Amino acid sequence: MIRRPPRSTLSSSSAASDVYKRQALTLLLNHVWTGVIDSDDTRAVLGVMLGAFLERAGLSATRAIEARGAYPRDIECFTFDYGKARVLALLREPNERDKRVTAKLSLPEEKHVYDALAGTRILRPKRVLARLRPGDPAVYAALPYEVAELRVEGPGDLGPGQRLPVHVMVKAQDQLPGDHIVRIELAPLGGRPLAHYAQNLVCRGGEATTFIPLALDEAPGVYEVRARDVMTGTTGKQRVRVMPAGG
């Protein structure tokens, strides 16, 4: 229930009215909706009610979600901002009986939307289908720009025990990029990444520099520095040669 102040305080010239206009409204919806959202009509009424609260607060819904084969309550939804990106994460309830449900998302068309786990761009953000088994996650990133390239720079040759400097740049179309997180790995050419060299690099404004400390007994040969932008899946790589000790 929302309590309004007495009519005498609704005058725009009164101090009480000014205080009323600045009052914040906190809406807590930490309820289990089982038995409440039991029809399309009930769902529509709740949608209108929540939409009115958002409009009154000067906010807009960041996404719309529907689920086929399950109630939307069976899917947890998290939304947060990172840099210029809006990140949306879904988590299917692990204890549900249904083997798989399809969640339909409607994201802003003016954004460039990426499936962060698959590392692919969503071409139709108004109709994103996430097929989720119990316990499955899905993560999407909506950016105001398209990521065109992930550039990796480093030295050509170095020896065991030396620091391998790595410079990473996220290149965007039409505007400067925001903050990104890039996964850095080192792997023998054509081989699996060496887990002890992996790191996550925070790229403020899409750019950052780090180093990989090579072991004193690192095997000579050709390696790859592999980089992957966590939000978009864009990748880049740079070859380096580890020379024999004393070579």
Side-chain angles (χ1 to χ4, degrees), residues 82-86 142-147 150 168-173 175-182 201-208 229 231-232:
Y82 185 81
K84 297 181 180 180
R86 172 64 54 88
L143 296 92
Y145 51 83
E146 178 183 357
V147 174
L150 182 60
V168 175
M169 291 180 290
V170 177
K171 296 292 185 180
Q173 297 277 16
Q175 62 174 284
L176 294 175
D179 297 343
H180 285 252
I181 298 178
V182 174
L201 182 61
V202 177
C203 299
R204 300 297 183 190
E207 187 171 359
D229 179 33
M231 290 192 294
T232 68

Side-chain angles (χ1 to χ4, degrees), residues 82-99:
Y82 185 81
K84 297 181 180 180
R86 172 64 54 88
V87 179
L88 171 65
L90 305 178
L91 180 62
R92 175 82 191 282
E93 170 60 48
N95 297 322
E96 289 301 318
R97 298 177 182 177
D98 297 322
K99 293 183 178 180

Side-chain angles (χ1 to χ4, degrees), residues 88-148:
L88 171 65
L90 305 178
L91 180 62
R92 175 82 191 282
E93 170 60 48
N95 297 322
E96 289 301 318
R97 298 177 182 177
D98 297 322
K99 293 183 178 180
R100 186 172 70 175
V101 300
T102 299
K104 178 183 175 183
L105 305 175
S106 181
L107 300 171
E109 286 187 314
E110 69 274 10
K111 300 291 186 179
H112 298 273
V113 180
Y114 295 84
D115 183 330
L117 298 183
T120 56
R121 183 181 172 191
I122 303 297
L123 299 180
R124 298 175 60 189
K126 287 289 288 183
R127 182 179 172 81
V128 180
L129 300 180
R131 295 174 174 85
L132 303 173
R133 291 183 175 86
D136 278 355
V139 182
Y140 301 95
L143 296 92
Y145 51 83
E146 178 183 357
V147 174

Side-chain angles (χ1 to χ4, degrees), residues 154-166 184-189 193-199 210-226 238-246:
D157 301 331
L158 73 166
Q162 295 183 348
R163 289 184 171 186
L164 168 57
V166 178
I184 302 293
E185 297 177 326
L186 182 68
L189 187 62
L194 303 174
H196 51 281
Y197 289 137
Q199 58 180 277
T210 186
F211 67 87
I212 300 174
L214 297 182
L216 291 172
D217 59 350
E218 190 60 70
V222 179
Y223 292 75
E224 281 184 337
V225 178
R226 301 172 184 172
Q238 170 72 29
R239 288 189 183 184
V240 297
R241 184 185 301 274
V242 177
M243 306 299 292

